[in-house]
Amino acid sequence: MTGQQQTQDINQLLKVRREKLAELQASGKDPFRITKYDVTVHSTDVKDNYANWEGKEVSIAGRMMSKRVMGKASFCDVQDLKGHIQCYVARDDLGEKAYRDFKRMDIGDIVGVKGIVFTTKMGEISIHAHELTLLSKSLQILPEKYHGLTNTDMRYRQRYTDLIMNEEVRKTFVARSRIISCIRRYLDGLGFLEVETPMLVANAGGAAARPFETHYNALDEDVKLRISLELYLKRLIVGGMERVYEIGRVFRNEGLDTRHNPEFTLMELYQAYTDYNGMMDLTENMFRHIANEVCGTTTIPYADAEIDLGKPFERLTMIDAIKKYTGIDFNEITTTEEAKRLADEKEVHYEERHVRGDIINLFFEEFVEEHLILPTFVMDHPVEISPLTKRKPDHPEQVERFELYIYGREMCNAYSELNDPIDQRERFKAQEAELAAGNEEANTTDEDFLNALEIGMPPTGGIGYGIDRLVMLFTNSPAIRDVLLFPTMKSLEK
């Protein structure tokens, strides 16, 4: 069959569906005029607890996914939120007119079924329908049953169809909701308060990223979409809210790949009177808690690996991690000139503005990240790449910071927060110099935040988690688009 013939056939099928709708409307049976349907149970609840439901009347509602018409008796399969269930539909039970209406229904129509729970001779738990109601008419054609919706681009663009056709996709997003609820309960149990901070900001700081910019007409001011939650949450710590967290969308004007989406969900939390060691303990315990509650085990599969979250996470300094995987000891390389010569020798690309600390980070990214499969805290980053972090008292060229890596991916980023307003002002000056030198991701000075620090912020530990990457881990999903209901896509019109 040619493509033109297929298109003609599809157009004819679509025309028939609209004709059926017109007939229903003309006979006073317009499904779109129905406003509610009383659902008493979901499909999987009946199947999982058959002994409690056998012989009882139930009402379910969902999408008709298949239909087998056999004269005076038929079967259809109805899919709802939790799964699907077979329904036995007979003319003698529904009546001749209602049975004729059922036979004219299409795959994809949304129906309500009232009937008695029983088991067929083939042993399948089913509903013996005595009432069937068309609740919504599907005017489009679902993908072919056995091949499903396999075009990846179309799956992301038409997530609604993807959710209908792919059960594993539905399970992933149910798991995502459970994971976020689990995190909230865990933090609430530790005395944290969930708060909300602005998305439109004058100064988009707290991370190394390019912001999206827009214009606020009412104030005639240019503003940015936030790239981080950090600076406002720290203001709340200054105000005496000792434990706060926020789960919210942030926006970074950057590329798209399997781990990045310009709009994503970030969680940040801040706790007064602790440091980055306290954040490591909290993180390790929280990941273990999520695994137990959502997955039922602390050993979870991811891609080709098994990730054991039950064992203590490894802790390495960044310099020791580089030494472990390359044999290079940056403790012996004390100047930027030496670091650049070594980078040239190892073919590590750097920019002219980069100094020793930047090159240490480049070596880590180039030679270490991919090896960190099991949970590993990488600690004590160079001060040059950590403008909001407290210095280590015994090594002022380093800061009290860590990132957690699992399967070669950064899962979170945490600090002993810098609370010295004088040092913070100098760090902002250094960031402004980087901005002037061409680093579009550098921070700019936030005078109100500096004023807050001058009022006084207690010693504080803080951390940021990429919720989407966390969900990827716990649902064994290969790409960030697989855990975003509506990922960013290029317009089809371009």
Side-chain angles (χ1 to χ4, degrees):
M1 183 183 292
T2 66
Q4 183 178 4
Q5 287 173 321
Q6 286 181 323
T7 300
Q8 288 173 344
D9 286 349
I10 290 172
N11 288 340
Q12 180 60 31
L13 291 172
L14 294 175
K15 180 183 177 184
V16 169
R17 291 194 176 206
R18 280 163 172 75
E19 289 172 350
K20 288 180 180 179
L21 174 62
E23 290 174 13
L24 289 167
Q25 291 171 330
S27 62
K29 298 177 182 177
D30 186 351
F32 298 125
R33 295 182 67 86
I34 296 174
T35 58
K36 62 175 289 188
Y37 187 82
D38 292 327
V39 175
T40 61
V41 69
H42 284 91
S43 57
T44 306
D45 298 329
V46 172
K47 294 163 82 171
D48 290 348
N49 300 282
Y50 178 69
N52 295 331
W53 290 104
E54 183 183 12
K56 294 182 179 177
E57 184 182 85
V58 297
S59 294
I60 67 160
R63 192 177 300 274
M64 189 186 300
M65 298 301 292
S66 68
K67 184 174 70 166
R68 303 189 305 281
V69 177
M70 300 177 293
K72 298 178 182 179
S74 303
F75 289 94
C76 67
D77 191 76
V78 176
Q79 176 177 289
D80 60 17
L81 170 69
K82 296 186 178 181
H84 61 90
I85 192 165
Q86 178 175 268
C87 298
Y88 173 72
V89 184
R91 185 187 66 182
D92 292 345
D93 298 310
L94 259 62
E96 189 137 358
K97 196 172 181 183
Y99 188 65
R100 187 169 61 248
D101 289 343
F102 162 74
K103 290 198 294 183
R104 287 184 59 75
M105 291 180 189
D106 292 303
I107 304 304
D109 287 351
I110 296 174
V111 298
V113 180
K114 183 180 289 186
I116 305 299
V117 176
F118 79 112
T119 303
T120 66
K121 292 178 181 178
M122 300 298 292
E124 183 166 355
I125 296 170
S126 306
I127 297 173
H128 189 143
H130 57 72
E131 184 180 298
L132 197 147
T133 307
L134 178 62
L135 302 174
S136 182
K137 183 69 186 167
S138 175
L139 300 179
Q140 279 287 353
I141 300 169
L142 293 177
E144 198 272 325
K145 175 183 176 182
Y146 294 102
H147 297 95
L149 182 63
T150 56
N151 181 295
T152 303
D153 186 75
M154 192 58 67
R155 283 183 51 224
Y156 297 146
R157 291 184 187 279
Q158 293 188 12
R159 182 66 85 187
Y160 42 89
T161 310
D162 191 24
L163 290 166
I164 294 167
M165 300 306 301
N166 296 315
E167 185 176 1
E168 290 304 311
V169 172
R170 290 199 305 279
K171 288 180 178 178
T172 293
F173 288 105
V174 170
R176 179 186 175 107
S177 180
R178 290 184 62 208
I179 289 165
I180 294 173
S181 295
C182 178
I183 291 170
R184 283 192 163 104
R185 287 193 301 273
Y186 181 76
L187 293 177
D188 292 347
L190 294 177
F192 282 84
L193 298 174
E194 184 173 8
V195 298
E196 296 172 308
T197 60
M199 288 190 182
L200 290 172
V201 295
N203 188 322
R210 291 174 58 190
F212 288 93
E213 299 182 359
T214 187
H215 186 77
Y216 197 158
N217 291 333
L219 299 179
D220 193 22
E221 290 182 355
D222 291 332
V223 292
K224 302 175 178 66
L225 287 169
R226 66 185 180 186
I227 60 173
S228 169
L229 314 173
E230 181 166 349
L231 300 185
Y232 280 96
L233 291 176
K234 285 183 178 178
R235 286 168 167 90
L236 299 181
I237 295 291
V238 170
M241 301 177 74
E242 295 181 1
R243 298 187 182 203
V244 294
Y245 74 95
E246 181 174 6
I247 299 174
R249 296 297 247 190
V250 296
F251 310 86
R252 297 182 182 179
N253 199 348
E254 57 190 19
L256 294 85
D257 59 31
T258 56
R259 287 184 277 175
H260 296 88
N261 194 75
E263 175 185 0
F264 64 98
T265 302
L266 182 65
M267 181 178 81
E268 293 195 32
L269 64 86
Y270 292 85
Q271 178 179 342
Y273 310 113
T274 190
D275 62 3
Y276 76 146
N277 291 298
M279 294 294 100
M280 273 186 262
D281 293 340
L282 184 152
T283 297
E284 191 167 336
N285 291 332
M286 187 180 78
F287 270 65
R288 207 164 285 145
H289 177 78
I290 296 168
N292 272 318
E293 184 165 313
V294 176
C295 305
T297 175
T298 55
T299 301
I300 61 174
Y302 190 81
D304 57 353
E306 277 207 341
I307 309 298
D308 189 349
L309 298 169
K311 294 180 180 178
F313 295 3
E314 185 176 8
R315 301 187 181 195
L316 282 173
T317 69
M318 182 174 280
I319 286 177
D320 286 345
I322 294 170
K323 185 176 180 180
K324 178 177 179 178
Y325 291 102
T326 69
I328 297 168
D329 187 354
F330 270 93
N331 286 319
E332 298 175 358
I333 299 167
T334 58
T335 67
T336 294
E337 290 71 24
E338 289 177 288
K340 286 185 174 179
R341 280 197 297 270
L342 181 61
D344 291 336
E345 179 186 325
K346 298 296 182 182
E347 298 182 344
V348 175
H349 175 73
Y350 59 88
E351 297 178 27
E352 187 59 35
R353 62 183 174 80
H354 283 154
V355 296
R356 174 179 173 273
D358 297 298
I359 292 170
I360 289 173
N361 188 52
L362 291 172
F363 267 75
F364 172 78
E365 292 175 347
E366 182 73 23
F367 299 115
V368 180
E369 279 188 2
E370 62 180 341
H371 298 289
L372 304 178
I373 302 302
L374 297 181
T376 305
F377 290 119
V378 176
M379 311 179 297
D380 302 349
H381 295 51
V383 68
E384 293 89 349
I385 62 168
S386 311
L388 298 162
T389 315
K390 187 170 285 191
R391 295 176 190 263
K392 290 180 68 66
D394 51 344
H395 291 284
E397 76 283 1
Q398 298 173 1
V399 293
E400 293 191 350
R401 172 183 175 186
F402 74 81
E403 294 169 301
L404 172 63
Y405 282 84
I406 301 176
Y407 201 78
R409 298 172 179 176
E410 177 200 334
M411 302 300 296
C412 64
N413 185 20
Y415 313 151
S416 296
E417 302 298 334
L418 179 59
N419 61 344
D420 178 345
I422 298 171
D423 189 358
Q424 183 64 80
R425 183 174 290 279
E426 292 303 310
R427 306 272 193 99
F428 276 143
K429 283 183 181 178
Q431 286 285 296
E432 295 274 10
E434 286 216 15
L435 188 66
N439 181 6
E440 294 180 326
E441 296 185 346
N443 284 198
T444 55
T445 303
D446 187 327
E447 289 293 347
D448 183 73
F449 175 66
L450 288 171
N451 183 64
L453 290 187
E454 288 179 358
I455 288 174
M457 185 173 86
T460 298
I463 191 164
Y465 303 88
I467 292 294
D468 309 305
R469 289 190 189 177
L470 189 150
V471 173
M472 286 170 63
L473 174 70
F474 284 105
T475 60
N476 196 6
S477 299
I480 193 169
R481 289 182 176 185
D482 294 322
V483 299
L484 296 173
L485 279 167
F486 301 102
T488 302
M489 304 289 289
K490 187 174 182 178
S491 171
L492 289 173
E493 297 176 1
K494 292 189 176 182

